[in-house]
């Protein structure tokens, strides 16, 4: 797969050099890189938020006052309304 990307980049650089548009290629590459960095920083923030929430959930499930199985606390409230509901956690 990396061979395809290298081939595409090489073809675009050669084509831009032959048409005299290397300045436009450089500008487009830097704009794309800036967009990629902005997107990745946003995704890192979202991933950090969700990892923190799951860590808090794990700490809550491992406390001495928690039920024997994680997810049991939520399943008990659903069983009152619908007896066929299983716990939300797979373990």
């Amino acid at each position: 797969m990396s061979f395809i990307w290298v081939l595409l980049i090489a073809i675009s650089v050669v084509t831009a050099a032959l048409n005299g548009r290397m300045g436009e290629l450089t500008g487009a590459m830097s704009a794309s890189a800036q967009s990629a960095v902005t997107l990745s920083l946003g995704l890192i923030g979202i991933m950090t938020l969700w990892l923190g929430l799951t860590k808090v959930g794990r700490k809550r499930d491992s406390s001495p006052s928690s039920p024997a199985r994680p997810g049991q606390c939520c399943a008990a409230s659903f069983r009152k309304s619908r007896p066929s509901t299983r716990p939300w956690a797979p373990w």
Side-chain angles (χ1 to χ4, degrees):
M1 189 70 169
S2 63
F3 173 74
I4 294 172
W5 287 109
V6 170
L7 184 66
L8 286 172
I9 291 171
I11 290 172
S12 67
V13 169
V14 169
T15 304
L18 291 176
N19 291 330
R21 296 184 173 181
M22 285 298 285
E24 293 175 21
L25 178 66
T26 306
M29 287 174 57
S30 67
S32 295
Q34 181 181 3
S35 175
V37 168
T38 304
L39 176 67
S40 65
L41 288 177
L43 291 175
I44 287 171
I46 292 169
M47 193 168 88
T48 304
L49 171 73
W50 283 110
L51 286 175
L53 288 175
T54 57
K55 191 171 188 176
V56 168
R58 277 194 218 122
K59 283 186 178 181
R60 189 258 174 247
D61 284 339
S62 65
S63 68
S65 65
S66 68
R69 284 181 22 192
Q72 200 88 10
C73 59
C74 297
S77 63
F78 287 117
R79 274 194 214 118
K80 292 176 185 173
S81 61
R82 292 180 286 179
S84 64
T85 304
R86 295 186 312 181
W88 62 272
W91 49 90

